[in-house]
Structures are given as structure tokens and as C-alpha cells.
mmCIF file of all heavy atoms in Angstrom:
data_model
loop_
_atom_site.group_PDB
_atom_site.id
_atom_site.type_symbol
_atom_site.label_atom_id
_atom_site.label_comp_id
_atom_site.label_asym_id
_atom_site.label_seq_id
_atom_site.Cartn_x
_atom_site.Cartn_y
_atom_site.Cartn_z
ATOM 1 N N MET E 1 0.830 -1.204 0.000
ATOM 2 C CA MET E 1 0.000 0.000 0.000
ATOM 3 C C MET E 1 0.869 1.260 0.000
ATOM 4 O O MET E 1 0.600 2.201 -0.718
ATOM 5 C CB MET E 1 -0.919 -0.028 1.232
ATOM 6 C CG MET E 1 -1.786 1.183 1.400
ATOM 7 S SD MET E 1 -3.185 1.090 0.309
ATOM 8 C CE MET E 1 -4.095 2.492 0.861
ATOM 9 N N ALA E 2 1.927 1.264 0.829
ATOM 10 C CA ALA E 2 2.812 2.427 0.891
ATOM 11 C C ALA E 2 3.510 2.653 -0.442
ATOM 12 O O ALA E 2 3.722 3.806 -0.845
ATOM 13 C CB ALA E 2 3.824 2.254 2.008
ATOM 14 N N ASP E 3 3.872 1.560 -1.131
ATOM 15 C CA ASP E 3 4.503 1.694 -2.441
ATOM 16 C C ASP E 3 3.561 2.370 -3.430
ATOM 17 O O ASP E 3 3.987 3.212 -4.227
ATOM 18 C CB ASP E 3 4.927 0.329 -2.982
ATOM 19 C CG ASP E 3 6.143 -0.225 -2.247
ATOM 20 O OD1 ASP E 3 6.865 0.578 -1.611
ATOM 21 O OD2 ASP E 3 6.356 -1.446 -2.307
ATOM 22 N N ASN E 4 2.275 1.990 -3.374
ATOM 23 C CA ASN E 4 1.291 2.590 -4.272
ATOM 24 C C ASN E 4 1.135 4.082 -3.982
ATOM 25 O O ASN E 4 1.038 4.887 -4.909
ATOM 26 C CB ASN E 4 -0.069 1.901 -4.133
ATOM 27 C CG ASN E 4 -0.076 0.524 -4.760
ATOM 28 O OD1 ASN E 4 0.807 0.176 -5.543
ATOM 29 N ND2 ASN E 4 -1.071 -0.279 -4.406
ATOM 30 N N LEU E 5 1.113 4.436 -2.708
ATOM 31 C CA LEU E 5 0.987 5.845 -2.352
ATOM 32 C C LEU E 5 2.209 6.636 -2.820
ATOM 33 O O LEU E 5 2.092 7.768 -3.292
ATOM 34 C CB LEU E 5 0.794 6.013 -0.843
ATOM 35 C CG LEU E 5 -0.533 5.485 -0.283
ATOM 36 C CD1 LEU E 5 -0.573 5.654 1.235
ATOM 37 C CD2 LEU E 5 -1.708 6.216 -0.918
ATOM 38 N N TYR E 6 3.380 6.048 -2.700
ATOM 39 C CA TYR E 6 4.596 6.708 -3.168
ATOM 40 C C TYR E 6 4.553 6.905 -4.681
ATOM 41 O O TYR E 6 4.902 7.981 -5.187
ATOM 42 C CB TYR E 6 5.830 5.893 -2.775
ATOM 43 C CG TYR E 6 7.109 6.512 -3.260
ATOM 44 C CD1 TYR E 6 7.680 7.599 -2.597
ATOM 45 C CD2 TYR E 6 7.747 6.022 -4.401
ATOM 46 C CE1 TYR E 6 8.852 8.179 -3.060
ATOM 47 C CE2 TYR E 6 8.910 6.602 -4.867
ATOM 48 C CZ TYR E 6 9.466 7.679 -4.200
ATOM 49 O OH TYR E 6 10.619 8.248 -4.661
ATOM 50 N N ASP E 7 4.112 5.877 -5.409
ATOM 51 C CA ASP E 7 4.008 5.973 -6.865
ATOM 52 C C ASP E 7 2.991 7.037 -7.268
ATOM 53 O O ASP E 7 3.236 7.823 -8.197
ATOM 54 C CB ASP E 7 3.613 4.618 -7.472
ATOM 55 C CG ASP E 7 4.734 3.592 -7.382
ATOM 56 O OD1 ASP E 7 5.907 4.004 -7.182
ATOM 57 O OD2 ASP E 7 4.432 2.385 -7.502
ATOM 58 N N ILE E 8 1.862 7.053 -6.575
ATOM 59 C CA ILE E 8 0.830 8.055 -6.870
ATOM 60 C C ILE E 8 1.364 9.456 -6.586
ATOM 61 O O ILE E 8 1.189 10.385 -7.379
ATOM 62 C CB ILE E 8 -0.458 7.779 -6.053
ATOM 63 C CG1 ILE E 8 -1.125 6.501 -6.570
ATOM 64 C CG2 ILE E 8 -1.417 8.959 -6.119
ATOM 65 C CD1 ILE E 8 -2.250 6.001 -5.692
ATOM 66 N N ASP E 9 2.029 9.619 -5.449
ATOM 67 C CA ASP E 9 2.594 10.913 -5.086
ATOM 68 C C ASP E 9 3.629 11.372 -6.107
ATOM 69 O O ASP E 9 3.648 12.533 -6.515
ATOM 70 C CB ASP E 9 3.209 10.838 -3.689
ATOM 71 C CG ASP E 9 3.622 12.187 -3.159
ATOM 72 O OD1 ASP E 9 2.783 13.122 -3.192
ATOM 73 O OD2 ASP E 9 4.781 12.317 -2.720
ATOM 74 N N SER E 10 4.482 10.467 -6.524
ATOM 75 C CA SER E 10 5.500 10.797 -7.530
ATOM 76 C C SER E 10 4.856 11.208 -8.850
ATOM 77 O O SER E 10 5.274 12.193 -9.482
ATOM 78 C CB SER E 10 6.424 9.606 -7.762
ATOM 79 O OG SER E 10 7.151 9.319 -6.595
ATOM 80 N N ALA E 11 3.855 10.460 -9.266
ATOM 81 C CA ALA E 11 3.162 10.774 -10.519
ATOM 82 C C ALA E 11 2.469 12.137 -10.432
ATOM 83 O O ALA E 11 2.526 12.940 -11.377
ATOM 84 C CB ALA E 11 2.145 9.684 -10.854
ATOM 85 N N MET E 12 1.850 12.407 -9.307
ATOM 86 C CA MET E 12 1.168 13.697 -9.136
ATOM 87 C C MET E 12 2.175 14.850 -9.137
ATOM 88 O O MET E 12 1.898 15.919 -9.686
ATOM 89 C CB MET E 12 0.335 13.691 -7.860
ATOM 90 C CG MET E 12 -0.884 12.780 -7.953
ATOM 91 S SD MET E 12 -1.867 12.750 -6.460
ATOM 92 C CE MET E 12 -2.592 14.365 -6.507
ATOM 93 N N ASN E 13 3.330 14.643 -8.540
ATOM 94 C CA ASN E 13 4.367 15.680 -8.559
ATOM 95 C C ASN E 13 4.866 15.944 -9.975
ATOM 96 O O ASN E 13 5.101 17.090 -10.360
ATOM 97 C CB ASN E 13 5.532 15.305 -7.650
ATOM 98 C CG ASN E 13 5.235 15.559 -6.196
ATOM 99 O OD1 ASN E 13 4.425 16.418 -5.858
ATOM 100 N ND2 ASN E 13 5.890 14.814 -5.310
ATOM 101 N N MET E 14 5.031 14.895 -10.761
ATOM 102 C CA MET E 14 5.457 15.069 -12.147
ATOM 103 C C MET E 14 4.405 15.837 -12.946
ATOM 104 O O MET E 14 4.745 16.725 -13.732
ATOM 105 C CB MET E 14 5.737 13.710 -12.792
ATOM 106 C CG MET E 14 7.012 13.072 -12.272
ATOM 107 S SD MET E 14 7.414 11.398 -12.880
ATOM 108 C CE MET E 14 6.537 11.199 -14.365
ATOM 109 N N ILE E 15 3.142 15.504 -12.733
ATOM 110 C CA ILE E 15 2.052 16.201 -13.420
ATOM 111 C C ILE E 15 2.039 17.668 -13.004
ATOM 112 O O ILE E 15 1.910 18.571 -13.840
ATOM 113 C CB ILE E 15 0.700 15.525 -13.123
ATOM 114 C CG1 ILE E 15 0.651 14.140 -13.776
ATOM 115 C CG2 ILE E 15 -0.461 16.393 -13.592
ATOM 116 C CD1 ILE E 15 -0.496 13.267 -13.313
ATOM 117 N N LYS E 16 2.185 17.916 -11.698
ATOM 118 C CA LYS E 16 2.193 19.288 -11.186
ATOM 119 C C LYS E 16 3.337 20.089 -11.809
ATOM 120 O O LYS E 16 3.132 21.231 -12.235
ATOM 121 C CB LYS E 16 2.320 19.264 -9.666
ATOM 122 C CG LYS E 16 2.368 20.647 -9.027
ATOM 123 C CD LYS E 16 2.483 20.559 -7.528
ATOM 124 C CE LYS E 16 3.892 20.123 -7.174
ATOM 125 N NZ LYS E 16 4.162 20.193 -5.733
ATOM 126 N N GLU E 17 4.517 19.501 -11.890
ATOM 127 C CA GLU E 17 5.666 20.192 -12.476
ATOM 128 C C GLU E 17 5.422 20.509 -13.947
ATOM 129 O O GLU E 17 5.776 21.588 -14.424
ATOM 130 C CB GLU E 17 6.924 19.353 -12.311
ATOM 131 C CG GLU E 17 7.416 19.288 -10.888
ATOM 132 C CD GLU E 17 8.552 18.295 -10.692
ATOM 133 O OE1 GLU E 17 9.028 17.719 -11.690
ATOM 134 O OE2 GLU E 17 8.959 18.100 -9.535
ATOM 135 N N GLU E 18 4.814 19.588 -14.664
ATOM 136 C CA GLU E 18 4.515 19.809 -16.082
ATOM 137 C C GLU E 18 3.497 20.938 -16.252
ATOM 138 O O GLU E 18 3.648 21.801 -17.125
ATOM 139 C CB GLU E 18 3.993 18.519 -16.720
ATOM 140 C CG GLU E 18 3.642 18.644 -18.176
ATOM 141 C CD GLU E 18 4.839 18.904 -19.081
ATOM 142 O OE1 GLU E 18 5.979 18.594 -18.676
ATOM 143 O OE2 GLU E 18 4.645 19.444 -20.183
ATOM 144 N N ILE E 19 2.467 20.955 -15.424
ATOM 145 C CA ILE E 19 1.454 22.011 -15.500
ATOM 146 C C ILE E 19 2.083 23.364 -15.184
ATOM 147 O O ILE E 19 1.832 24.357 -15.875
ATOM 148 C CB ILE E 19 0.276 21.712 -14.550
ATOM 149 C CG1 ILE E 19 -0.525 20.517 -15.084
ATOM 150 C CG2 ILE E 19 -0.625 22.929 -14.376
ATOM 151 C CD1 ILE E 19 -1.566 19.996 -14.122
ATOM 152 N N ILE E 20 2.915 23.427 -14.156
ATOM 153 C CA ILE E 20 3.582 24.676 -13.791
ATOM 154 C C ILE E 20 4.478 25.148 -14.930
ATOM 155 O O ILE E 20 4.506 26.334 -15.267
ATOM 156 C CB ILE E 20 4.373 24.512 -12.482
ATOM 157 C CG1 ILE E 20 3.410 24.355 -11.305
ATOM 158 C CG2 ILE E 20 5.320 25.682 -12.259
ATOM 159 C CD1 ILE E 20 4.072 23.963 -9.995
ATOM 160 N N ARG E 21 5.198 24.241 -15.558
ATOM 161 C CA ARG E 21 6.066 24.593 -16.677
ATOM 162 C C ARG E 21 5.254 25.163 -17.840
ATOM 163 O O ARG E 21 5.604 26.196 -18.422
ATOM 164 C CB ARG E 21 6.853 23.364 -17.136
ATOM 165 C CG ARG E 21 7.926 23.660 -18.168
ATOM 166 C CD ARG E 21 8.730 22.422 -18.564
ATOM 167 N NE ARG E 21 9.254 21.685 -17.426
ATOM 168 C CZ ARG E 21 8.839 20.469 -17.047
ATOM 169 N NH1 ARG E 21 7.896 19.843 -17.718
ATOM 170 N NH2 ARG E 21 9.381 19.877 -16.011
ATOM 171 N N GLU E 22 4.135 24.502 -18.165
ATOM 172 C CA GLU E 22 3.299 24.970 -19.271
ATOM 173 C C GLU E 22 2.682 26.326 -18.965
ATOM 174 O O GLU E 22 2.624 27.204 -19.840
ATOM 175 C CB GLU E 22 2.212 23.939 -19.578
ATOM 176 C CG GLU E 22 2.743 22.688 -20.238
ATOM 177 C CD GLU E 22 1.660 21.649 -20.485
ATOM 178 O OE1 GLU E 22 0.475 21.937 -20.231
ATOM 179 O OE2 GLU E 22 2.007 20.541 -20.927
ATOM 180 N N LEU E 23 2.217 26.513 -17.738
ATOM 181 C CA LEU E 23 1.654 27.807 -17.360
ATOM 182 C C LEU E 23 2.712 28.900 -17.407
ATOM 183 O O LEU E 23 2.450 30.014 -17.871
ATOM 184 C CB LEU E 23 1.039 27.736 -15.957
ATOM 185 C CG LEU E 23 -0.296 27.020 -15.846
ATOM 186 C CD1 LEU E 23 -0.682 26.851 -14.377
ATOM 187 C CD2 LEU E 23 -1.379 27.785 -16.584
ATOM 188 N N SER E 24 3.886 28.585 -16.941
ATOM 189 C CA SER E 24 4.971 29.556 -16.953
ATOM 190 C C SER E 24 5.315 29.973 -18.383
ATOM 191 O O SER E 24 5.495 31.155 -18.672
ATOM 192 C CB SER E 24 6.193 28.961 -16.263
ATOM 193 O OG SER E 24 7.264 29.847 -16.317
ATOM 194 N N GLU E 25 5.395 29.007 -19.278
ATOM 195 C CA GLU E 25 5.685 29.315 -20.683
ATOM 196 C C GLU E 25 4.568 30.149 -21.294
ATOM 197 O O GLU E 25 4.835 31.099 -22.037
ATOM 198 C CB GLU E 25 5.871 28.024 -21.473
ATOM 199 C CG GLU E 25 7.150 27.292 -21.160
ATOM 200 C CD GLU E 25 7.235 25.929 -21.830
ATOM 201 O OE1 GLU E 25 6.315 25.567 -22.601
ATOM 202 O OE2 GLU E 25 8.225 25.215 -21.581
ATOM 203 N N SER E 26 3.334 29.817 -20.973
ATOM 204 C CA SER E 26 2.195 30.552 -21.513
ATOM 205 C C SER E 26 2.200 32.001 -21.038
ATOM 206 O O SER E 26 1.997 32.926 -21.825
ATOM 207 C CB SER E 26 0.888 29.859 -21.091
ATOM 208 O OG SER E 26 -0.222 30.584 -21.526
ATOM 209 N N VAL E 27 2.441 32.198 -19.752
ATOM 210 C CA VAL E 27 2.484 33.554 -19.201
ATOM 211 C C VAL E 27 3.650 34.330 -19.798
ATOM 212 O O VAL E 27 3.521 35.505 -20.137
ATOM 213 C CB VAL E 27 2.556 33.513 -17.655
ATOM 214 C CG1 VAL E 27 2.887 34.878 -17.086
ATOM 215 C CG2 VAL E 27 1.253 32.997 -17.080
ATOM 216 N N SER E 28 4.771 33.664 -19.960
ATOM 217 C CA SER E 28 5.938 34.310 -20.543
ATOM 218 C C SER E 28 5.649 34.776 -21.975
ATOM 219 O O SER E 28 5.967 35.908 -22.345
ATOM 220 C CB SER E 28 7.112 33.340 -20.535
ATOM 221 O OG SER E 28 8.231 33.925 -21.119
ATOM 222 N N LYS E 29 5.027 33.926 -22.763
ATOM 223 C CA LYS E 29 4.669 34.291 -24.135
ATOM 224 C C LYS E 29 3.658 35.430 -24.140
ATOM 225 O O LYS E 29 3.742 36.347 -24.945
ATOM 226 C CB LYS E 29 4.085 33.085 -24.878
ATOM 227 C CG LYS E 29 5.113 32.053 -25.248
ATOM 228 C CD LYS E 29 4.461 30.871 -25.928
ATOM 229 C CE LYS E 29 5.454 29.757 -26.173
ATOM 230 N NZ LYS E 29 4.801 28.581 -26.760
ATOM 231 N N GLN E 30 2.678 35.369 -23.240
ATOM 232 C CA GLN E 30 1.653 36.400 -23.162
ATOM 233 C C GLN E 30 2.281 37.742 -22.789
ATOM 234 O O GLN E 30 1.956 38.769 -23.387
ATOM 235 C CB GLN E 30 0.610 35.996 -22.121
ATOM 236 C CG GLN E 30 -0.747 36.586 -22.324
ATOM 237 C CD GLN E 30 -1.758 35.947 -21.398
ATOM 238 O OE1 GLN E 30 -1.417 35.530 -20.305
ATOM 239 N NE2 GLN E 30 -2.986 35.877 -21.825
ATOM 240 N N ASN E 31 3.189 37.737 -21.820
ATOM 241 C CA ASN E 31 3.853 38.971 -21.414
ATOM 242 C C ASN E 31 4.714 39.528 -22.533
ATOM 243 O O ASN E 31 4.783 40.732 -22.738
ATOM 244 C CB ASN E 31 4.700 38.739 -20.161
ATOM 245 C CG ASN E 31 3.859 38.574 -18.924
ATOM 246 O OD1 ASN E 31 2.694 38.941 -18.888
ATOM 247 N ND2 ASN E 31 4.454 38.022 -17.884
ATOM 248 N N LYS E 32 5.373 38.644 -23.282
ATOM 249 C CA LYS E 32 6.210 39.081 -24.391
ATOM 250 C C LYS E 32 5.340 39.737 -25.463
ATOM 251 O O LYS E 32 5.681 40.791 -25.979
ATOM 252 C CB LYS E 32 6.961 37.885 -24.986
ATOM 253 C CG LYS E 32 8.034 38.271 -25.980
ATOM 254 C CD LYS E 32 8.702 37.061 -26.587
ATOM 255 C CE LYS E 32 9.393 36.223 -25.543
ATOM 256 N NZ LYS E 32 10.134 35.095 -26.131
ATOM 257 N N ASN E 33 4.188 39.143 -25.781
ATOM 258 C CA ASN E 33 3.288 39.714 -26.780
ATOM 259 C C ASN E 33 2.756 41.062 -26.312
ATOM 260 O O ASN E 33 2.642 41.994 -27.103
ATOM 261 C CB ASN E 33 2.127 38.762 -27.075
ATOM 262 C CG ASN E 33 2.565 37.539 -27.842
ATOM 263 O OD1 ASN E 33 3.622 37.543 -28.474
ATOM 264 N ND2 ASN E 33 1.775 36.492 -27.799
ATOM 265 N N THR E 34 2.416 41.180 -25.045
ATOM 266 C CA THR E 34 1.922 42.436 -24.505
ATOM 267 C C THR E 34 3.000 43.505 -24.590
ATOM 268 O O THR E 34 2.738 44.635 -24.972
ATOM 269 C CB THR E 34 1.476 42.269 -23.030
ATOM 270 O OG1 THR E 34 0.448 41.275 -22.984
ATOM 271 C CG2 THR E 34 0.938 43.550 -22.458
ATOM 272 N N TYR E 35 4.237 43.142 -24.252
ATOM 273 C CA TYR E 35 5.342 44.091 -24.309
ATOM 274 C C TYR E 35 5.544 44.581 -25.738
ATOM 275 O O TYR E 35 5.681 45.771 -25.973
ATOM 276 C CB TYR E 35 6.623 43.441 -23.777
ATOM 277 C CG TYR E 35 7.835 44.313 -23.969
ATOM 278 C CD1 TYR E 35 8.067 45.399 -23.130
ATOM 279 C CD2 TYR E 35 8.722 44.069 -25.006
ATOM 280 C CE1 TYR E 35 9.176 46.210 -23.310
ATOM 281 C CE2 TYR E 35 9.831 44.883 -25.199
ATOM 282 C CZ TYR E 35 10.052 45.946 -24.352
ATOM 283 O OH TYR E 35 11.133 46.750 -24.539
ATOM 284 N N TYR E 36 5.562 43.669 -26.713
ATOM 285 C CA TYR E 36 5.778 44.078 -28.101
ATOM 286 C C TYR E 36 4.620 44.934 -28.589
ATOM 287 O O TYR E 36 4.819 45.888 -29.320
ATOM 288 C CB TYR E 36 5.946 42.855 -29.012
ATOM 289 C CG TYR E 36 7.268 42.152 -28.834
ATOM 290 C CD1 TYR E 36 7.350 40.769 -28.759
ATOM 291 C CD2 TYR E 36 8.449 42.870 -28.727
ATOM 292 C CE1 TYR E 36 8.561 40.132 -28.589
ATOM 293 C CE2 TYR E 36 9.673 42.241 -28.553
ATOM 294 C CZ TYR E 36 9.719 40.864 -28.485
ATOM 295 O OH TYR E 36 10.918 40.238 -28.320
ATOM 296 N N SER E 37 3.423 44.614 -28.174
ATOM 297 C CA SER E 37 2.264 45.396 -28.576
ATOM 298 C C SER E 37 2.369 46.811 -28.027
ATOM 299 O O SER E 37 2.122 47.782 -28.730
ATOM 300 C CB SER E 37 0.984 44.716 -28.077
ATOM 301 O OG SER E 37 -0.127 45.527 -28.318
ATOM 302 N N GLN E 38 2.736 46.943 -26.752
ATOM 303 C CA GLN E 38 2.871 48.262 -26.141
ATOM 304 C C GLN E 38 4.029 49.026 -26.769
ATOM 305 O O GLN E 38 3.924 50.228 -27.030
ATOM 306 C CB GLN E 38 3.093 48.124 -24.636
ATOM 307 C CG GLN E 38 1.869 47.661 -23.891
ATOM 308 C CD GLN E 38 2.165 47.373 -22.429
ATOM 309 O OE1 GLN E 38 3.327 47.309 -22.025
ATOM 310 N NE2 GLN E 38 1.136 47.162 -21.648
ATOM 311 N N ALA E 39 5.121 48.357 -27.031
ATOM 312 C CA ALA E 39 6.289 49.019 -27.605
ATOM 313 C C ALA E 39 5.996 49.515 -29.013
ATOM 314 O O ALA E 39 6.379 50.625 -29.383
ATOM 315 C CB ALA E 39 7.478 48.068 -27.613
ATOM 316 N N SER E 40 5.295 48.726 -29.811
ATOM 317 C CA SER E 40 5.016 49.139 -31.179
ATOM 318 C C SER E 40 4.004 50.277 -31.215
ATOM 319 O O SER E 40 4.080 51.148 -32.071
ATOM 320 C CB SER E 40 4.526 47.959 -32.020
ATOM 321 O OG SER E 40 3.278 47.511 -31.564
ATOM 322 N N SER E 41 3.063 50.315 -30.278
ATOM 323 C CA SER E 41 2.086 51.397 -30.276
ATOM 324 C C SER E 41 2.716 52.707 -29.830
ATOM 325 O O SER E 41 2.257 53.775 -30.195
ATOM 326 C CB SER E 41 0.883 51.057 -29.389
ATOM 327 O OG SER E 41 1.258 51.029 -28.027
ATOM 328 N N LYS E 42 3.801 52.646 -29.071
ATOM 329 C CA LYS E 42 4.486 53.868 -28.633
ATOM 330 C C LYS E 42 5.203 54.525 -29.803
ATOM 331 O O LYS E 42 5.454 55.723 -29.778
ATOM 332 C CB LYS E 42 5.495 53.547 -27.527
ATOM 333 C CG LYS E 42 4.850 53.207 -26.217
ATOM 334 C CD LYS E 42 5.895 52.895 -25.161
ATOM 335 C CE LYS E 42 5.233 52.475 -23.872
ATOM 336 N NZ LYS E 42 6.208 52.104 -22.844
ATOM 337 N N ASN E 43 5.520 53.762 -30.840
ATOM 338 C CA ASN E 43 6.250 54.307 -31.974
ATOM 339 C C ASN E 43 5.332 55.012 -32.965
ATOM 340 O O ASN E 43 5.811 55.656 -33.885
ATOM 341 C CB ASN E 43 7.021 53.199 -32.693
ATOM 342 C CG ASN E 43 8.138 52.639 -31.826
ATOM 343 O OD1 ASN E 43 8.658 53.318 -30.966
ATOM 344 N ND2 ASN E 43 8.487 51.389 -32.066
ATOM 345 N N LEU E 44 4.037 54.889 -32.811
ATOM 346 C CA LEU E 44 3.105 55.528 -33.729
ATOM 347 C C LEU E 44 2.962 57.005 -33.388
ATOM 348 O O LEU E 44 3.027 57.404 -32.236
ATOM 349 C CB LEU E 44 1.722 54.871 -33.628
ATOM 350 C CG LEU E 44 1.629 53.399 -34.025
ATOM 351 C CD1 LEU E 44 0.233 52.879 -33.755
ATOM 352 C CD2 LEU E 44 1.989 53.212 -35.485
ATOM 353 N N SER E 45 2.743 57.793 -34.411
ATOM 354 C CA SER E 45 2.479 59.201 -34.151
ATOM 355 C C SER E 45 1.066 59.344 -33.603
ATOM 356 O O SER E 45 0.242 58.421 -33.674
ATOM 357 C CB SER E 45 2.619 60.015 -35.451
ATOM 358 O OG SER E 45 1.567 59.690 -36.322
ATOM 359 N N PHE E 46 0.744 60.506 -33.096
ATOM 360 C CA PHE E 46 -0.573 60.740 -32.508
ATOM 361 C C PHE E 46 -1.675 60.490 -33.526
ATOM 362 O O PHE E 46 -2.684 59.855 -33.259
ATOM 363 C CB PHE E 46 -0.659 62.157 -31.941
ATOM 364 C CG PHE E 46 -1.975 62.456 -31.295
ATOM 365 C CD1 PHE E 46 -2.298 61.895 -30.072
ATOM 366 C CD2 PHE E 46 -2.895 63.282 -31.907
ATOM 367 C CE1 PHE E 46 -3.510 62.157 -29.455
ATOM 368 C CE2 PHE E 46 -4.111 63.542 -31.307
ATOM 369 C CZ PHE E 46 -4.418 62.985 -30.080
ATOM 370 N N SER E 47 -1.499 60.962 -34.750
ATOM 371 C CA SER E 47 -2.538 60.804 -35.786
ATOM 372 C C SER E 47 -2.709 59.333 -36.160
ATOM 373 O O SER E 47 -3.804 58.890 -36.461
ATOM 374 C CB SER E 47 -2.226 61.636 -37.015
ATOM 375 O OG SER E 47 -0.993 61.230 -37.565
ATOM 376 N N ASP E 48 -1.624 58.559 -36.133
ATOM 377 C CA ASP E 48 -1.725 57.136 -36.439
ATOM 378 C C ASP E 48 -2.494 56.410 -35.347
ATOM 379 O O ASP E 48 -3.245 55.480 -35.622
ATOM 380 C CB ASP E 48 -0.338 56.497 -36.572
ATOM 381 C CG ASP E 48 0.386 56.949 -37.821
ATOM 382 O OD1 ASP E 48 -0.302 57.380 -38.772
ATOM 383 O OD2 ASP E 48 1.628 56.853 -37.845
ATOM 384 N N LYS E 49 -2.308 56.800 -34.100
ATOM 385 C CA LYS E 49 -3.016 56.158 -32.985
ATOM 386 C C LYS E 49 -4.524 56.396 -33.097
ATOM 387 O O LYS E 49 -5.307 55.503 -32.794
ATOM 388 C CB LYS E 49 -2.508 56.693 -31.656
ATOM 389 C CG LYS E 49 -1.126 56.224 -31.291
ATOM 390 C CD LYS E 49 -0.714 56.770 -29.947
ATOM 391 C CE LYS E 49 0.720 56.350 -29.630
ATOM 392 N NZ LYS E 49 1.174 56.919 -28.366
ATOM 393 N N ILE E 50 -4.929 57.559 -33.537
ATOM 394 C CA ILE E 50 -6.359 57.852 -33.648
ATOM 395 C C ILE E 50 -6.996 56.997 -34.741
ATOM 396 O O ILE E 50 -8.107 56.509 -34.591
ATOM 397 C CB ILE E 50 -6.577 59.362 -33.948
ATOM 398 C CG1 ILE E 50 -6.145 60.188 -32.746
ATOM 399 C CG2 ILE E 50 -8.026 59.646 -34.302
ATOM 400 C CD1 ILE E 50 -6.181 61.685 -32.970
ATOM 401 N N SER E 51 -6.292 56.776 -35.843
ATOM 402 C CA SER E 51 -6.877 56.025 -36.940
ATOM 403 C C SER E 51 -6.993 54.537 -36.636
ATOM 404 O O SER E 51 -7.734 53.830 -37.285
ATOM 405 C CB SER E 51 -6.059 56.233 -38.222
ATOM 406 O OG SER E 51 -4.781 55.677 -38.060
ATOM 407 N N ASP E 52 -6.256 54.035 -35.628
ATOM 408 C CA ASP E 52 -6.362 52.616 -35.260
ATOM 409 C C ASP E 52 -7.648 52.390 -34.651
ATOM 410 O O ASP E 52 -8.417 52.043 -34.192
ATOM 411 C CB ASP E 52 -5.240 52.216 -34.308
ATOM 412 C CG ASP E 52 -3.932 51.989 -35.072
ATOM 413 O OD1 ASP E 52 -3.981 51.967 -36.305
ATOM 414 O OD2 ASP E 52 -2.896 51.867 -34.411
#
């Protein structure tokens, strides 16, 4: 029984680590896209911003 609990715990930890890694990558990509979007909009002139 203890072996099964250890195996289950190990498997759950691996799943948790994978989910955290995927979330971290997703947030990182989202932040990068937001940064590029903000940076590119700062380069527009005032008249260009109004027409968007």
C-alpha cells in the first residue's frame, strides 16, 4: 500500500511540475506579446493612434 501511495505521489508531482512549466511558458509568451504590442504602439504618431 505504501509503495502505491509513493508511486501516486511521484506521478502527481510530475504532473504538477509539467502544468507549472506549461503555465509559466504561456504567461511568458503572453507577457512578451503584450510588451511588443505596447512598444510598437508607442512608436506611432498621434494621428496614427487615432486612426487605429
Side-chain angles (χ1 to χ4, degrees):
M1 177 79 173
D3 287 340
N4 287 344
L5 293 177
Y6 179 78
D7 290 342
I8 291 170
D9 189 51
S10 295
M12 290 180 71
N13 281 333
M14 288 176 21
I15 292 168
K16 179 180 73 172
E17 289 172 5
E18 179 66 22
I19 290 171
I20 290 171
R21 188 178 309 111
E22 288 178 5
L23 285 172
S24 177
E25 289 173 3
S26 176
V27 168
S28 179
K29 287 178 186 177
Q30 205 170 31
N31 287 342
K32 190 183 298 184
N33 289 340
T34 301
Y35 173 77
Y36 287 136
S37 173
Q38 289 173 348
S40 66
S41 69
K42 288 180 183 177
N43 293 333
L44 297 175
S45 69
F46 181 73
S47 60
D48 290 337
K49 288 181 183 177
I50 293 174
S51 66
D52 281 350

